[in-house]
PDB file of all heavy atoms in Angstrom:
ATOM      1  N   PRO A 953     -18.297   0.400  17.240  1.00 39.00           N
ATOM      2  CA  PRO A 953     -17.538   1.550  17.751  1.00 39.00           C
ATOM      3  C   PRO A 953     -18.347   2.828  17.638  1.00 39.00           C
ATOM      4  O   PRO A 953     -19.182   2.992  16.748  1.00 39.00           O
ATOM      5  CB  PRO A 953     -16.291   1.580  16.853  1.00 39.00           C
ATOM      6  CG  PRO A 953     -16.692   0.840  15.620  1.00 39.00           C
ATOM      7  CD  PRO A 953     -17.683  -0.211  16.070  1.00 39.00           C
ATOM      8  N   ALA A 957     -14.866   7.319  18.006  1.00 42.00           N
ATOM      9  CA  ALA A 957     -13.816   6.347  17.727  1.00 42.00           C
ATOM     10  C   ALA A 957     -13.562   6.245  16.238  1.00 42.00           C
ATOM     11  O   ALA A 957     -12.420   6.161  15.776  1.00 42.00           O
ATOM     12  CB  ALA A 957     -14.202   4.988  18.302  1.00 42.00           C
ATOM     13  N   SER A 960     -11.601   9.297  15.148  1.00 44.00           N
ATOM     14  CA  SER A 960     -10.185   9.198  15.510  1.00 44.00           C
ATOM     15  C   SER A 960      -9.458   8.264  14.567  1.00 44.00           C
ATOM     16  O   SER A 960      -8.325   8.504  14.172  1.00 44.00           O
ATOM     17  CB  SER A 960     -10.054   8.709  16.958  1.00 44.00           C
ATOM     18  OG  SER A 960     -10.684   9.612  17.829  1.00 44.00           O
ATOM     19  N   ARG A 961     -10.125   7.159  14.236  1.00 43.00           N
ATOM     20  CA  ARG A 961      -9.502   6.180  13.349  1.00 43.00           C
ATOM     21  C   ARG A 961      -9.280   6.789  11.962  1.00 43.00           C
ATOM     22  O   ARG A 961      -8.234   6.597  11.336  1.00 43.00           O
ATOM     23  CB  ARG A 961     -10.390   4.947  13.261  1.00 43.00           C
ATOM     24  CG  ARG A 961      -9.705   3.749  12.629  1.00 43.00           C
ATOM     25  CD  ARG A 961     -10.648   2.576  12.580  1.00 43.00           C
ATOM     26  NE  ARG A 961     -11.239   2.328  13.891  1.00 43.00           N
ATOM     27  CZ  ARG A 961     -12.185   1.427  14.100  1.00 43.00           C
ATOM     28  NH1 ARG A 961     -12.637   0.697  13.093  1.00 43.00           N
ATOM     29  NH2 ARG A 961     -12.675   1.242  15.299  1.00 43.00           N
ATOM     30  N   PRO A 986      -1.912   0.784  10.480  1.00 46.00           N
ATOM     31  CA  PRO A 986      -1.249   1.312  11.682  1.00 46.00           C
ATOM     32  C   PRO A 986      -2.168   2.160  12.530  1.00 46.00           C
ATOM     33  O   PRO A 986      -2.086   2.165  13.743  1.00 46.00           O
ATOM     34  CB  PRO A 986      -0.082   2.116  11.108  1.00 46.00           C
ATOM     35  CG  PRO A 986       0.164   1.537   9.740  1.00 46.00           C
ATOM     36  CD  PRO A 986      -1.196   1.142   9.244  1.00 46.00           C
ATOM     37  N   GLY A 987      -3.079   2.943  11.868  1.00 50.00           N
ATOM     38  CA  GLY A 987      -3.982   3.767  12.661  1.00 50.00           C
ATOM     39  C   GLY A 987      -4.898   2.941  13.520  1.00 50.00           C
ATOM     40  O   GLY A 987      -5.092   3.210  14.703  1.00 50.00           O
ATOM     41  N   LEU A 988      -5.460   1.867  12.958  1.00 49.00           N
ATOM     42  CA  LEU A 988      -6.338   0.990  13.724  1.00 49.00           C
ATOM     43  C   LEU A 988      -5.563   0.270  14.821  1.00 49.00           C
ATOM     44  O   LEU A 988      -6.052   0.107  15.939  1.00 49.00           O
ATOM     45  CB  LEU A 988      -6.985  -0.032  12.782  1.00 49.00           C
ATOM     46  CG  LEU A 988      -7.868  -1.089  13.436  1.00 49.00           C
ATOM     47  CD1 LEU A 988      -9.021  -0.418  14.175  1.00 49.00           C
ATOM     48  CD2 LEU A 988      -8.412  -2.061  12.385  1.00 49.00           C
ATOM     49  N   GLY A 989      -4.327  -0.147  14.489  1.00 51.00           N
ATOM     50  CA  GLY A 989      -3.520  -0.822  15.506  1.00 51.00           C
ATOM     51  C   GLY A 989      -3.226   0.079  16.694  1.00 51.00           C
ATOM     52  O   GLY A 989      -3.275  -0.346  17.845  1.00 51.00           O
ATOM     53  N   ALA A 990      -2.907   1.346  16.402  1.00 57.00           N
ATOM     54  CA  ALA A 990      -2.647   2.285  17.500  1.00 57.00           C
ATOM     55  C   ALA A 990      -3.895   2.508  18.338  1.00 57.00           C
ATOM     56  O   ALA A 990      -3.833   2.596  19.576  1.00 57.00           O
ATOM     57  CB  ALA A 990      -2.133   3.616  16.936  1.00 57.00           C
ATOM     58  N   PHE A 991      -5.039   2.615  17.639  1.00 51.00           N
ATOM     59  CA  PHE A 991      -6.299   2.821  18.369  1.00 51.00           C
ATOM     60  C   PHE A 991      -6.601   1.637  19.294  1.00 51.00           C
ATOM     61  O   PHE A 991      -6.930   1.813  20.467  1.00 51.00           O
ATOM     62  CB  PHE A 991      -7.429   3.013  17.350  1.00 51.00           C
ATOM     63  CG  PHE A 991      -8.807   2.983  17.960  1.00 51.00           C
ATOM     64  CD1 PHE A 991      -9.280   4.052  18.689  1.00 51.00           C
ATOM     65  CD2 PHE A 991      -9.616   1.871  17.811  1.00 51.00           C
ATOM     66  CE1 PHE A 991     -10.545   4.022  19.240  1.00 51.00           C
ATOM     67  CE2 PHE A 991     -10.873   1.830  18.356  1.00 51.00           C
ATOM     68  CZ  PHE A 991     -11.345   2.915  19.087  1.00 51.00           C
ATOM     69  N   LEU A 992      -6.472   0.400  18.750  1.00 50.00           N
ATOM     70  CA  LEU A 992      -6.753  -0.785  19.566  1.00 50.00           C
ATOM     71  C   LEU A 992      -5.741  -0.920  20.703  1.00 50.00           C
ATOM     72  O   LEU A 992      -6.081  -1.372  21.797  1.00 50.00           O
ATOM     73  CB  LEU A 992      -6.734  -2.035  18.688  1.00 50.00           C
ATOM     74  CG  LEU A 992      -7.856  -2.130  17.649  1.00 50.00           C
ATOM     75  CD1 LEU A 992      -7.694  -3.382  16.803  1.00 50.00           C
ATOM     76  CD2 LEU A 992      -9.217  -2.126  18.321  1.00 50.00           C
ATOM     77  N   LYS A 993      -4.479  -0.548  20.420  1.00 55.00           N
ATOM     78  CA  LYS A 993      -3.461  -0.615  21.475  1.00 55.00           C
ATOM     79  C   LYS A 993      -3.815   0.300  22.635  1.00 55.00           C
ATOM     80  O   LYS A 993      -3.653  -0.049  23.805  1.00 55.00           O
ATOM     81  CB  LYS A 993      -2.105  -0.267  20.888  1.00 55.00           C
ATOM     82  CG  LYS A 993      -0.948  -0.449  21.857  1.00 55.00           C
ATOM     83  CD  LYS A 993       0.388  -0.196  21.167  1.00 55.00           C
ATOM     84  CE  LYS A 993       1.543  -0.402  22.146  1.00 55.00           C
ATOM     85  NZ  LYS A 993       2.844  -0.141  21.482  1.00 55.00           N
ATOM     86  N   GLN A 994      -4.299   1.515  22.315  1.00 61.00           N
ATOM     87  CA  GLN A 994      -4.707   2.436  23.372  1.00 61.00           C
ATOM     88  C   GLN A 994      -5.890   1.881  24.155  1.00 61.00           C
ATOM     89  O   GLN A 994      -5.943   1.987  25.377  1.00 61.00           O
ATOM     90  CB  GLN A 994      -5.055   3.795  22.766  1.00 61.00           C
ATOM     91  CG  GLN A 994      -3.862   4.525  22.142  1.00 61.00           C
ATOM     92  CD  GLN A 994      -4.272   5.818  21.460  1.00 61.00           C
ATOM     93  OE1 GLN A 994      -5.452   6.156  21.427  1.00 61.00           O
ATOM     94  NE2 GLN A 994      -3.291   6.542  20.905  1.00 61.00           N
ATOM     95  N   ARG A 995      -6.865   1.295  23.423  1.00 55.00           N
ATOM     96  CA  ARG A 995      -8.028   0.738  24.099  1.00 55.00           C
ATOM     97  C   ARG A 995      -7.627  -0.399  25.040  1.00 55.00           C
ATOM     98  O   ARG A 995      -8.094  -0.502  26.177  1.00 55.00           O
ATOM     99  CB  ARG A 995      -9.027   0.217  23.071  1.00 55.00           C
ATOM    100  CG  ARG A 995      -9.728   1.320  22.278  1.00 55.00           C
ATOM    101  CD  ARG A 995     -10.704   2.105  23.151  1.00 55.00           C
ATOM    102  NE  ARG A 995     -11.725   1.227  23.707  1.00 55.00           N
ATOM    103  CZ  ARG A 995     -12.860   0.929  23.095  1.00 55.00           C
ATOM    104  NH1 ARG A 995     -13.117   1.466  21.898  1.00 55.00           N
ATOM    105  NH2 ARG A 995     -13.753   0.141  23.657  1.00 55.00           N
ATOM    106  N   HIS A 996      -6.747  -1.286  24.578  1.00 54.00           N
ATOM    107  CA  HIS A 996      -6.313  -2.408  25.411  1.00 54.00           C
ATOM    108  C   HIS A 996      -5.499  -1.937  26.613  1.00 54.00           C
ATOM    109  O   HIS A 996      -5.592  -2.491  27.709  1.00 54.00           O
ATOM    110  CB  HIS A 996      -5.489  -3.379  24.572  1.00 54.00           C
ATOM    111  CG  HIS A 996      -6.306  -4.113  23.549  1.00 54.00           C
ATOM    112  ND1 HIS A 996      -5.740  -4.910  22.584  1.00 54.00           N
ATOM    113  CD2 HIS A 996      -7.646  -4.169  23.342  1.00 54.00           C
ATOM    114  CE1 HIS A 996      -6.694  -5.420  21.815  1.00 54.00           C
ATOM    115  NE2 HIS A 996      -7.862  -4.982  22.263  1.00 54.00           N
TER     116      HIS A 996
END
Side-chain angles (χ1 to χ4, degrees):
S960 300
R961 193 180 309 174
L988 176 60
F991 169 75
L992 293 178
K993 186 175 181 181
Q994 294 176 358
R995 290 290 301 272
H996 291 172

